[in-house]
Amino acid sequence: MKSVQIVLILFFVSVTSFAQEKKWTLKECIYYAIKNNISIKQSELDTQTTAIAKKDAIGNFLPNVNASSSHSWNIGLNQNITTGLLENQTTQFTSANLNANVDIFKGLQNVNQLRKANLAIIASQYQLTKMQEDIALNVANAYLQILFNKENLKVQTQQKLLNTIQYNRTVELVEAGNVPKGDLLDIQATMATGNQRVIVAENSLLLSKLSLAQLLQIKDFQNFDISEDDMPSMLSTVLNETPEAVIAKAKENRTELKIAETNVAVAEKDISIAKGAYLPTLTAFYGFNTRASNSNGFEIINGVPIVTSPKPLFDQFSTNKGQNFGLSLNIPIFNGFAVKNNVARTKIALAKSQLAKDQQELDIERNVFTAYTDTKAAKESYEAALQIVKARELAMQYAKDRYEIGMMNIFDYNQSQTAFVNAQSEVLRTKYDYIFRIKILEFYFGIPLIEKQ
């Protein structure tokens, strides 16, 4: 029994350890978000709704069949439904009806409703794709933010260690009489500032993990972590393309433009549906009815009226059955301008959809051009930051050497050290800003963040 308990304990410990040690890659994060994100689930439900709307449109081609029945008790002076005479009695009466009708022609409205439903399904699928793309970009941004905060924390932690080393070195220099004792106070202030920066960096990292965990719908964000080895590539050939080429590619691939184009097609179908109300409608109908009563009957036998007992129930249903069928033609003549006004409204809606499509094309041109110029600027900023950090590192080393031989005061040395730390942070910021912007530009060019499953 104890051995079983030990095995179970080891199993749960190993599972817990595995859960805590799991490092999420960017691909895993995006796949998981697409599967679990609430906004995407809502878009999936919208897609299901449009599928139901298509079933409604198909149902318009099918007959409408309705059955009804009633059973009543008549007490007191009532007309005998068999003899037609008024009698003071209690009777029961049962009737059953079956009616069916089907549209033969309805101004092509049913056909256009089905076509509109098919377009609505396409639009909802595009909308779902757009939501997935947006979530993927948000996940990538949050993922890169965590990577940035991780590296920034390393920089601040390393600087904290260097501050400690420098403090110990300053103690030695003070004891040797090379620098004044007051420099220790400045070093202590620098150490306190470094400690504060580490705390800020730790909090920023925790908050960035929380942000990504919420996108992924993961509640245990404190144990959530990502793989530091899954660094998106900074190498891309998309900047070798001209802005015009990227814009042309974006107009071919961007989902938001496809949504706008589909909305125009839907608005056109709405006009066709509205105009269909001008045309006549032809409907076929069929009806069946029967009845039965428990009241006495009335027959003439040899010229003498004879009251008879009620016939059996099913015999009455068979005897009293009746049918009717035919065609119904409805020709609209005047309806208070309702159809005309409805057509006018759908034409306005079409014009608005076309303007929205035109605006979407302009937005794509502006967004792509902005993304292109921002990406080039981000690349240049990153390259400049690399040059600056190299210079700052040499300047700090030079300042350190001068400080240790008493040729520079502690304030100037701290200034040089702070400038180097800031330069390191700027390298990290420009690096991840460039990576994210290059991914956005690739996205516009039709290169997905990850391969689709």
Side-chain angles (χ1 to χ4, degrees):
M1 187 66 181
K2 291 183 177 180
S3 61
V4 173
Q5 293 176 344
I6 292 174
V7 170
L8 290 175
I9 291 173
L10 291 175
F11 172 76
F12 286 115
V13 169
S14 63
V15 170
T16 304
S17 175
F18 174 78
Q20 292 177 348
E21 293 176 358
K22 176 175 175 55
K23 302 285 188 178
W24 291 69
T25 64
L26 177 58
K27 180 184 294 186
E28 289 175 334
C29 289
I30 292 178
Y31 284 156
Y32 191 89
I34 290 175
K35 184 178 180 181
N36 296 278
N37 185 267
I38 292 178
S39 298
I40 290 179
K41 288 182 177 180
Q42 290 174 334
S43 294
E44 290 173 345
L45 293 176
D46 292 338
T47 302
Q48 295 178 19
T49 301
T50 57
I52 295 174
K54 180 180 178 179
K55 292 181 180 179
D56 290 337
I58 294 174
N60 292 334
F61 292 95
L62 303 178
N64 292 322
V65 181
N66 297 286
S68 63
S69 65
S70 65
H71 184 85
S72 61
W73 287 261
N74 301 316
I75 303 173
L77 187 64
N78 293 287
Q79 185 180 36
N80 189 312
I81 64 170
T82 303
T83 64
L85 301 177
L86 292 176
E87 300 178 5
N88 194 354
Q89 60 178 349
T90 299
T91 62
Q92 297 185 50
F93 175 68
T94 302
S95 66
N97 299 276
L98 178 67
N99 296 288
N101 62 79
V102 61
D103 291 328
I104 298 176
F105 181 77
K106 198 178 179 181
L108 298 179
Q109 287 180 314
N110 292 342
V111 174
N112 289 318
Q113 283 283 6
L114 180 58
R115 292 173 179 172
K116 176 185 174 182
N118 288 328
L119 290 171
I121 289 177
I122 295 174
S124 67
Q125 290 171 344
Y126 282 146
Q127 194 64 49
L128 175 59
T129 301
K130 177 67 167 56
M131 183 61 66
Q132 292 172 342
E133 292 172 347
D134 290 344
I135 292 298
L137 278 177
N138 291 337
V139 169
N141 187 27
Y143 192 93
L144 291 174
Q145 188 64 43
I146 294 177
L147 289 177
F148 164 73
N149 288 330
K150 278 177 172 286
E151 290 199 30
N152 186 53
L153 178 59
K154 290 179 182 179
V155 169
Q156 302 303 332
T157 302
Q158 181 65 25
Q159 187 58 45
K160 178 182 177 181
L161 177 61
L162 293 176
N163 290 339
T164 303
I165 295 173
Q166 184 60 38
Y167 175 78
N168 295 332
R169 177 60 179 160
T170 302
V171 170
E172 295 176 357
L173 293 174
V174 169
E175 293 176 350
N178 293 337
V179 297
K181 189 174 182 181
D183 286 1
L184 286 176
L185 299 177
D186 289 324
I187 291 294
Q188 289 174 348
T190 301
M191 291 178 63
T193 302
N195 293 338
Q196 184 183 31
R197 287 186 173 183
V198 169
I199 294 173
V200 171
E202 289 174 342
N203 289 337
S204 298
L205 177 58
L206 181 61
L207 291 176
S208 61
K209 287 182 179 180
L210 170 61
S211 178
L212 180 55
Q214 287 181 334
L215 279 175
L216 271 57
Q217 305 300 312
I218 295 176
K219 295 182 179 179
D220 187 16
F221 70 92
Q222 292 182 336
N223 293 321
F224 172 77
D225 203 359
I226 65 172
S227 174
E228 299 176 37
D229 299 328
D230 189 24
M231 172 69 69
S233 175
M234 298 178 64
L235 301 177
S236 178
T237 60
V238 70
L239 279 178
N240 297 332
E241 304 286 342
T242 63
E244 292 75 17
V246 180
I247 290 172
K249 195 74 172 179
K251 288 184 177 180
E252 293 177 6
N253 299 312
R254 291 307 306 140
T255 306
E256 52 265 38
L257 185 56
K258 294 179 181 179
I259 293 173
E261 292 171 346
T262 307
N263 288 338
V264 170
V266 170
E268 291 173 343
K269 291 303 173 188
D270 282 334
I271 292 179
S272 298
I273 293 170
K275 287 183 176 180
Y278 283 123
L279 302 176
T281 59
L282 181 62
T283 304
F285 62 88
Y286 170 80
F288 174 84
N289 61 84
T290 185
R291 60 183 182 173
S293 173
N294 72 339
S295 61
N296 295 330
F298 182 80
E299 294 184 6
I300 304 297
I301 300 177
N302 297 325
V304 179
I306 304 293
V307 176
T308 60
S309 299
K311 293 182 179 180
L313 183 65
F314 289 103
D315 289 346
Q316 292 187 61
F317 280 139
S318 178
T319 302
N320 297 329
K321 65 184 179 182
Q323 303 180 61
N324 65 89
F325 56 88
L327 299 174
S328 174
L329 179 64
N330 181 34
I331 302 175
I333 297 176
F334 182 75
N335 48 35
F337 303 111
V339 176
K340 181 179 179 181
N341 292 336
N342 192 34
V343 171
R345 278 191 291 268
T346 55
K347 288 182 178 180
I348 293 173
L350 173 60
K352 292 175 66 176
S353 297
Q354 290 172 334
L355 289 175
K357 173 179 170 293
D358 295 340
Q359 183 63 53
Q360 193 63 65
E361 290 180 348
L362 293 175
D363 290 344
I364 287 178
E365 291 179 4
R366 183 183 66 253
N367 293 338
V368 171
F369 192 81
T370 302
Y372 190 91
T373 55
D374 286 348
T375 303
K376 290 189 66 176
K379 181 182 179 182
E380 293 171 357
S381 296
Y382 174 60
E383 292 172 347
L386 290 176
Q387 297 298 321
I388 292 173
V389 78
K390 290 179 182 179
R392 290 297 184 187
E393 185 177 13
L394 293 175
M396 188 192 71
Q397 186 61 46
Y398 179 70
K400 178 181 178 183
D401 294 339
R402 296 190 64 191
Y403 171 71
E404 291 185 351
I405 61 175
M407 297 183 64
M408 177 179 284
N409 59 48
I410 189 64
F411 177 80
D412 291 337
Y413 173 65
N414 285 340
Q415 289 292 100
S416 177
Q417 190 178 41
T418 300
F420 174 61
V421 174
N422 291 337
Q424 286 180 302
S425 299
E426 185 65 11
V427 167
L428 294 178
R429 187 194 67 79
T430 55
K431 171 185 175 182
Y432 286 102
D433 181 59
Y434 172 61
I435 291 175
F436 183 63
R437 293 189 183 281
I438 198 69
K439 292 306 174 185
I440 291 179
L441 191 60
E442 288 179 343
F443 191 60
Y444 280 123
F445 196 64
I447 301 175
L449 290 172
I450 59 172
E451 296 180 359
K452 294 183 178 180
Q453 289 181 319

